[in-house]
Amino acid sequence: MSGPLDGVLVVDLSRVVAGPHATQTLGDLGARVIKVEQPGGDETRGWGPPFADGVSTYYLSCNRNKESITLDLKDPAGLDVLLRLVRRADVLVENFRTGVMDRLGLGFDRLLEANPRLVVMSVTGFGHDGPEGGRPGYDAIVQGEAGLMSVTGPPGQPSKVGMTVADMLAAQNVVAGVLAALYERTKTGRGQVVRTSLLASVVGAHGFQGTRWTVAGEVPESLGNDHPSLAPYGTFRCADGLLQIGVANQSIWRRFAPVVGLDPDDPRFAELPDRTRRRPELTAEIEKTLAAEPRAVWLERFAGAGVPAGSIRSLDEVYDWEQTRSQGLVVTVDHPELGEIELPGPALRFDGHRFEHTPPPLLGEHDASVRAWLDEQDEQDAHDETED
C-alpha cells in the first residue's frame, strides 16, 4: 500500500491493543506490517462477545493492513524465521513483559547485532525498570494506577474511561517514537531501542490536571462532566435531553449569556472565577432557560452566536454521521470470512495519498507467502554476492 511509509517493513510481535493499534497506524501510513503470532494467536482473537460469525470484533478493531504469520518462538525453527525477518526489517514492535524477550533469545543487543539499522519499540505496562517495572499492565489497571480514574466520573465515584484510552495513548507514543527513530536513522545510519509504557502515556497526558498538583499543590477530584477551571463548561439539560456547552473564555461568555437570558455583566457571573465558584447557581439559571426548548433549537441558536455546543451522540449515531464519514473515519474492507465490513478509520489524512486498506488477517494467513518472500530475498542476496 503506498503512503508516506512505503518501503518500511515492520515486524509486529505485539498483542492485545497498544502495540497492535500502533502497528495498524504504521500500516495505515503505508508500512508493510507482518504480525508474528505464536500458536493460538493474539489473545484478542478470543475476546468477546460480540463476535461476527466467530470473529472477534475486538481483534478486528486494531489489526487492519497487516499480514499474519504464525511462529513458535520457543522452537529454534520459529526463532530462525523471525531472525530472518529481523534482518530485513526497519522496525520491530513488542509489548512483552520485561525479560520475556531475553528469555526467548531475542534480547535487544542480539536484535541490533542482527540488524544495526533496526528500530526496536518496546511497550510495557509500568515501564521496563524501576521498583515495579515488571508488573503486567492492562488498560483498566493503569487507568486506576495512573490517576485517570480519580478525575473521571461523578464526584466520589472513580470511573474508567469507556474506551481503552491508556492503550490508545500508548499507541500514539509508539508511533511518535518509531517515526522519530526512523528520522534519526537517516542521519546516523543506525537504529536504536525506544521505550514507552501505559503508565508513562497516561501520566504524560495529565496536562493541566497534573500541574494542579505539581505547581498549585491541589489534588484534583472528579467533577463528572464539569470542568474544574471553566464554567459554564459541561453537560446541560434542555427540554428533550442533554447537550454539551463549552464557554472557555470571556468573549464566548459575552455571546453566550444573552442567548440564555443572562446579563453578561451580572456581578455573580461576570468573570470566570465568579462563574466557577458559583457553578451550581449558574447551572440552575441556564437549565431553567434551556428547559423551554428542545436540543435542536438550542444548538442552532448557539451556532448562530458562535458558542461551542454539541450533541451527546451514541456510537451508532457517530458512525452514521456524515461528518464522520467525510473525514475518512470509516473504512470498508473485504474480509476473507465476513465479506465486506466497515471499520473505524485512521485519524490522519495526507494530501496526495489515497489509501487502500486491507482487512485484519486470519491467523497464519500469510505463512506461505511471507516464507516464500524471505526465500526470494535470500536467493537474490546470494545472486548479488555471486555477481560481485
Side-chain angles (χ1 to χ4, degrees):
M1 183 177 69
S2 65
L5 295 184
D6 187 29
V8 171
L9 175 60
V10 178
V11 174
D12 181 10
L13 291 180
S14 66
R15 320 97 54 226
V16 191
V17 178
H21 188 79
T23 52
Q24 174 175 266
T25 300
L26 295 172
D28 289 337
L29 297 177
R32 181 184 182 185
V33 180
I34 299 177
K35 183 178 179 72
V36 177
E37 301 186 71
Q38 300 206 48
D42 187 323
E43 51 259 56
T44 60
R45 290 183 180 274
W47 284 13
F51 294 97
D53 292 335
V55 179
S56 166
T57 58
Y58 210 113
Y59 169 80
L60 293 174
S61 72
C62 53
N63 286 289
R64 66 172 175 267
N65 298 332
K66 302 180 186 181
E67 301 163 64
S68 171
I69 181 172
T70 307
L71 297 176
D72 182 354
L73 299 182
K74 297 178 181 178
D75 183 327
L79 192 61
D80 178 67
V81 174
L82 178 62
L83 288 172
R84 290 172 68 195
L85 283 170
V86 164
R87 293 186 186 100
R88 302 191 180 281
D90 298 285
V91 178
L92 181 144
V93 178
E94 63 88 17
N95 62 353
F96 291 111
R97 288 176 61 183
T98 302
V100 171
M101 290 287 283
D102 290 312
R103 291 196 293 274
L104 290 171
L106 295 168
F108 298 149
D109 289 343
R110 183 179 186 187
L111 293 174
L112 291 174
E113 180 182 359
N115 181 353
R117 290 175 54 81
L118 183 69
V119 172
V120 180
M121 185 73 225
S122 179
V123 191
T124 56
F126 292 90
H128 76 286
D129 54 8
E132 300 186 44
R135 288 179 62 185
Y138 283 109
D139 180 273
I141 306 301
V142 175
Q143 285 198 40
E145 291 277 25
L148 183 57
M149 289 177 63
S150 74
V151 295
T152 305
Q157 298 180 40
S159 304
K160 75 178 185 66
V161 178
M163 279 90 172
T164 54
V165 66
D167 282 319
M168 294 303 187
L169 288 169
Q172 299 312 306
N173 286 329
V174 168
V175 173
V178 165
L179 296 181
L182 287 174
Y183 175 71
E184 187 176 53
R185 192 181 70 176
T186 66
K187 297 180 287 184
T188 66
R190 299 188 64 82
Q192 60 180 295
V193 178
V194 187
R195 305 177 193 270
T196 192
S197 68
L198 274 65
L199 172 65
S201 299
V202 175
V203 174
H206 280 174
F208 76 94
Q209 296 282 35
T211 52
R212 285 177 70 184
W213 166 248
T214 63
V215 179
E218 179 179 304
V219 179
E221 297 178 351
S222 58
L223 292 173
N225 291 342
D226 288 329
H227 194 290
S229 303
L230 302 173
Y233 195 110
T235 303
F236 296 83
R237 187 170 299 281
C238 59
D240 63 347
L242 302 173
L243 72 163
Q244 292 286 101
I245 298 171
V247 178
N249 57 50
Q250 281 298 101
S251 176
I252 298 174
W253 166 250
R254 301 197 68 81
R255 298 196 301 272
F256 168 81
V259 177
V260 295
L262 293 173
D263 178 0
D265 296 315
D266 183 326
R268 296 176 299 167
F269 311 129
E271 300 295 331
L272 176 57
D274 302 321
R275 296 194 294 275
T276 303
R277 282 193 297 267
R278 295 176 176 264
R279 188 194 313 275
E281 183 181 353
L282 175 60
T283 298
E285 293 272 1
I286 293 170
E287 290 191 334
K288 182 169 63 176
T289 302
L290 294 182
E293 301 286 356
R295 180 174 60 180
V297 170
W298 288 116
L299 290 177
E300 184 177 352
R301 290 177 182 175
F302 291 140
V307 174
S311 304
I312 300 175
R313 297 175 185 267
S314 60
L315 285 190
D316 57 322
E317 292 174 318
V318 172
Y319 286 105
D320 287 340
W321 189 16
E322 186 55 39
Q323 184 62 21
T324 298
R325 292 178 176 269
S326 75
Q327 301 305 297
L329 296 174
V330 182
V331 299
T332 301
V333 297
D334 188 10
H335 190 272
E337 290 184 347
L338 302 178
E340 193 172 275
I341 58 173
E342 290 187 337
L343 301 173
L348 293 173
R349 300 162 69 190
F350 288 77
D351 290 351
H353 288 288
R354 184 176 179 84
F355 300 134
E356 297 293 333
H357 299 280
T358 60
L362 304 178
L363 178 60
E365 181 178 347
H366 303 91
D367 280 342
S369 60
V370 169
R371 283 178 167 83
W373 173 76
L374 284 171
D375 290 341
E376 290 172 4
Q377 297 301 304
D378 290 345
E379 290 174 7
Q380 184 62 50
D381 288 348
H383 178 268
D384 292 343
E385 291 175 4
T386 301
E387 290 292 308
D388 291 342

